[in-house]
Structures are given as C-alpha cells and as structure tokens.
C-alpha cells in the first residue's frame, strides 16, 4: 500500500494584483504541503509581500483563488475576513504590543476558556523563552523579540504561519542562530509556514520548497537543491547563486567553447550560453593552461579564483583554501560537473517538454 500524500495546507491559484499601473502579481500559483516550510524568494518588488497580504486577507486579489486547509478563503464569490482565516503573522519589525509582557503578547489571540495559560506556557517552552515570560518587549533583544512574535503567531495553532523577512533586522550571527531555532520550532510544532526573503542562502537553507518569484510571477517551485542545480530558465538561473556564462557553438548534442567540447543532453544548433557554477570548474597550475590567474576572493573555507583566458573569457572557479599560486600564474580550467545550456540564437531541433515558456535549456557534462 502506498502511503497517502500529505494534504495541501495552502493553495494559491492564479493570483493577480495590480496597484494602479503597477503589476504586483501576475498569475502566481503554488501549493504548500501541510507541515512544510515554503520560501517565497525573489528580488525587491517582485510581489512577495503582496502574496502574504493576500493569503492573510489584508488585501484582495484582482483574480485568483486561495484555499486554506481545504476551504476556499478567497475566490470569485468568497472573501473570508483575516480574523477568520486562522493565519499567523510574523513581521520583520516583530510588531509586539509594547505595553504587554511576553506572556500577554503570546496569549493575545487565545481565549481564556481554551486553556490559555497552558498554551502560552507550552509555546514559550517551544521557543525557549519560559524564563522571560514576565519581561516587557523593550527588555528583550531583537532575537528574543522575534521568538516572542513567532510564539504569538503559533499559539492559536494557525493553519499557516506567514513570516515576512523575519530575520532582516538581526545581525549576521544572530540571524543564523535564529534561523535554526525557527526551523526547529516550526518542525516541532508541525506548523505549515510561508516565509518571504530576498536572501537566497536563507531560502535555500531553511525551506523545504522554494518558490522563485520574479516580476510578479512564480517561475519555479522546487526543493532547494533542485532550484540550485536545475533552474528552469535564464531568469531563475541569473537570480540563484553565481554562474559563469560561457558562450559556445551548439552543433547538436555538443557545444564547442573555450572549455573544449561539452556534451549536452538535448541537441541545440546555434549560439549557446553554457551556465557553469564556479564549483563545476576545476583549476590547476599549468604552464600550458588556457589562461592566467587574475585575482582571488578568499573566504576561509574556500575561495573564488578569477582566471582570464587568452581568448578574453573570464571565469571564476571555486578552489580549496590551499590553492595559492599568485596572480599572473598560468592555469588550466577544466569542467568537472553539471552545466546548463540555453540557446541564445538558433534552433533546438527537439523541443523539450515544459520548456514552452522558458528558453530551451539542457543539462550537460564535459565530453
Ligand atoms: P520587497 O522585497 O522590497 O519588500 P516585495 O517582493 O515584497 O518587495 P511587494 O511589496 O509585494 O514586493 O510589491 C510588489 C510591487 O507592487 C512593487 O512594484 C510595489 O511598488 C507595488 N506595490 C505594493 N503595494 C503597493 C501599494 N499599496 N500601492 C502601490 N503599489 C504597491
């Protein structure tokens, strides 16, 4: 017997929203499975906050449907008010009630009849703040305030928790700790969560699924490793992580470029851009190599080494921390990993399934 798929806790289907002449959302769709975390990731102004506001019921879409826990809360003839959607909200600036102590903040949305005191204690325990229950918000650090905000959102057992840039007001090391805490708390509480971020690392490290939004559209929804390794088109590839873009000539299932001949999975004829991650390029010192080391950016655990080919091509290769030949040293760069191929001009004789809205793309390996 195959196990039943977990239910969909939230479905956004074809959401569109304009503000005057500005299109904030354009036919955006995604599902969130119960008990999972989805990150809405995209550049500033791509419509992330608008999406959260529509889910919470703080704003209405021009078109589209929102289903929460199997009930339509937004549709052509339905618009359930925010207080009846059972959605928890966590904002960037925490938005705690300044005149209420921690436990009163967390218990704010709970009724006394439903065991408020016990639920407050349980939720404070979950976020590790039981000892600070009587503190006022101004007596807490930023990270503690954010944990109170999370506890307040989780206490009423919402159908979904929405977090808008929840870590952006915190410094880097605190942000990292809190990310891990928030992930653990969401997991332990079994909550379904959608969080908004423009920080790729945050999205890739925290979420089960990442929805990449660009210009009001959701272009790809996939697990983090798939978003990183198989972006569906140039727009997503250009946004996620760093790629070297290397021009080549597609001659079928092979692309001839400065790295040699690279085999790709789908035939392409014409000018092809190969997208190659720095970690897919292996660099070695070699007097007969294709170029010279120009500079390096050292990060401690690894580094990005910039190489200028004799052809003029410049690439960055990820190397270990002990690869230290000085600038000016001749080096060889070899492909050792996946590449993506996008046809710039020419034809892809066999169109790939699903590539109708994206430039033809193919995955390749060094020949
Ligand atoms: P950021 O990461 O900068 O917060 P975002 O991805 O959350 O951006 P939104 O805040 O959803 O983006 O905005 C999407 C687009 O809609 C932007 O162009 C924005 O200027 C516009 N917009 C959002 N709210 C309004 C409003 N109330 N009136 C007019 N335009 C708006």
């Amino acid at each position: 017997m195959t196990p039943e798929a977990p239910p969909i806790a939230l479905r956004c289907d074809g959401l569109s929203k304009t503000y005057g002449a500005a299109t904030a959302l354009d036919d955006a769709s995604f599902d969130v499975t119960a008990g999972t975390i989805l990150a809405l990731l995209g550049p500033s102004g791509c419509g992330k906050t608008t999406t959260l506001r529509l889910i919470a019921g703080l704003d209405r879409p021009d078109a589209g449907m929102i289903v929460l826990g199997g009930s339509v809360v937004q549709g052509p003839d339905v618009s359930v008010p925010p207080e009846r959607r059972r959605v928890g909200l966590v904002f960037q600036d925490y938005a705690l009630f300044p005149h209420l102590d921690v436990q009163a903040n967390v218990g704010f949305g709970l009724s006394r009849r439903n065991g408020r005191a016990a639920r407050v204690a349980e939720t404070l325990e979950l976020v590790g703040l039981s000892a600070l229950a009587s503190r006022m918000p101004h007596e807490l650090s930023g990270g503690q305030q954010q944990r109170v905000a999370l506890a307040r959102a989780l206490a009423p057992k919402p159908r979904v928790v929405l977090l808008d840039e929840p870590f952006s007001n915190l410094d880097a090391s605190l942000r990292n700790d809190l990310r891990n805490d928030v992930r653990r708390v969401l997991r332990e509480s079994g909550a379904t969560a959608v969080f908004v971020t423009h920080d790729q690392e945050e999205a890739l490290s925290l979420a089960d699924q990442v929805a990449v939004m660009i210009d009001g559209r959701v272009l790809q929804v996939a697990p983090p490793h798939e978003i990183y390794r198989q972006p569906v088109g140039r727009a997503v590839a250009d946004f996620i992580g760093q790629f070297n873009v290397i021009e080549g000539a597609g001659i079928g299932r092979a692309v001839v470029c400065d790295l040699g001949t690279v085999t790709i999975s789908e035939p392409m004829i014409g000018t092809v851009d190969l997208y190659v991650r720095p970690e897919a390029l292996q660099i070695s010192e070699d007097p007969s190599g294709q170029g010279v080391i120009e500079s390096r950016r050292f990060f401690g655990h690894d580094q990005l080494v910039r190489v200028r080919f004799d052809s003029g091509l410049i690439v960055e290769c990820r190397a270990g921390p002990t690869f230290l030949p000085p600038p000016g040293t001749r080096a060889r760069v070899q492909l050792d990993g996946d590449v993506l191929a996008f046809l710039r001009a020419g034809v892809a004789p066999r169109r790939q399934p699903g590539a109708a809205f994206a430039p033809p793309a193919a995955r390749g390996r060094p020949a």
Side-chain angles (χ1 to χ4, degrees):
M1 222 173 69
T2 50
E4 263 183 51
I8 301 296
L10 167 66
R11 166 160 292 170
C12 291
D13 189 13
L15 293 179
S16 294
K17 177 77 185 170
T18 52
Y19 294 102
T23 300
L25 279 182
D26 179 11
D27 198 16
S29 302
F30 58 90
D31 287 348
V32 190
T33 304
T36 66
I37 306 171
L38 176 117
L40 285 177
L41 172 68
S44 181
C46 71
K48 305 181 294 290
T49 299
T50 302
T51 308
L52 286 200
R53 290 180 59 79
L54 297 185
I55 297 168
L58 302 173
D59 228 333
R60 285 188 189 199
D62 302 330
M65 196 159 80
I66 299 171
V67 185
L68 267 171
S71 315
V72 177
V73 295
Q74 191 72 61
D77 309 309
V78 188
S79 188
V80 174
E83 64 278 10
R84 288 187 28 230
R85 292 195 179 194
R86 292 189 43 215
V87 163
L89 285 168
V90 179
F91 298 101
Q92 180 174 345
D93 58 0
Y94 328 130
L96 299 179
F97 302 113
H99 58 294
L100 298 180
D101 67 8
V102 166
Q103 54 199 331
N105 261 285
V106 174
F108 187 79
L110 303 174
S111 76
R112 207 175 296 233
R113 270 180 298 135
N114 293 337
R116 176 163 61 182
R119 181 65 186 149
V120 168
E122 183 183 42
T123 318
L124 282 178
E125 172 91 41
L126 185 70
V127 299
L129 288 181
S130 304
L132 305 184
S134 304
R135 288 255 187 106
M136 298 303 284
H138 72 267
E139 297 171 320
L140 302 173
S141 70
Q144 288 165 340
Q145 289 187 45
Q146 192 55 297
R147 281 192 273 164
V148 176
L150 180 63
R152 184 178 61 184
L154 288 172
K157 300 192 175 168
R159 291 195 277 210
V160 60
V161 188
L162 308 176
L163 305 102
D164 193 355
E165 301 266 6
F167 312 109
S168 59
N169 278 348
L170 304 166
D171 67 50
S173 68
L174 189 58
R175 192 157 51 209
N176 209 20
D177 288 349
L178 196 69
R179 263 185 216 160
N180 293 335
D181 273 2
V182 166
R183 187 177 161 87
R184 176 190 57 78
V185 168
L186 291 172
R187 280 272 180 275
E188 282 178 19
S189 62
T192 306
V194 177
F195 80 99
V196 152
T197 183
H198 59 264
D199 180 332
Q200 300 172 33
E201 193 185 305
E202 191 161 290
L204 297 177
S205 63
L206 194 62
D208 299 300
Q209 296 276 317
V210 177
V212 181
M213 292 188 73
I214 289 170
D215 290 340
R217 305 193 67 193
V218 174
L219 296 186
Q220 186 170 10
V221 185
H225 61 90
E226 203 174 307
I227 294 280
Y228 189 80
R229 291 195 62 202
Q230 291 168 270
V232 289
R234 273 176 205 268
V236 179
D238 286 338
F239 184 65
I240 300 291
Q242 186 191 344
F243 275 110
N244 294 292
V245 181
I246 299 170
E247 188 184 302
I251 51 169
R253 283 181 196 278
V255 177
V256 180
C257 67
D258 283 354
L259 295 173
T261 301
V262 175
T263 305
I264 55 173
S265 55
E266 298 294 329
M268 291 183 181
I269 293 167
T271 306
V272 171
D273 284 329
L274 293 177
Y275 275 56
V276 186
R277 295 275 186 207
E279 58 267 33
L281 289 179
Q282 209 178 58
I283 181 168
S284 54
E285 224 180 312
D286 184 344
S288 61
Q290 313 100 312
V292 292
I293 295 175
E294 200 172 69
S295 60
R296 69 181 74 241
R297 282 191 284 156
F298 193 72
F299 303 113
H301 41 71
D302 61 8
Q303 57 181 323
L304 283 170
V305 182
R306 201 174 157 92
V307 178
R308 181 183 289 275
F309 281 39
D310 297 338
S311 65
L313 173 71
I314 293 174
V315 294
E316 284 201 310
C317 317
R318 201 171 290 282
T322 55
F323 182 78
L324 294 169
T329 307
R330 239 184 142 72
R332 174 163 303 281
V333 175
Q334 281 171 301
L335 186 59
D336 182 23
D338 292 338
V339 302
L340 293 171
F342 294 105
L343 192 60
R344 199 193 299 169
V347 288
R350 270 199 300 130
R351 218 181 162 77
Q352 291 177 76
F357 301 107
R363 296 168 62 65
R365 304 258 340 145

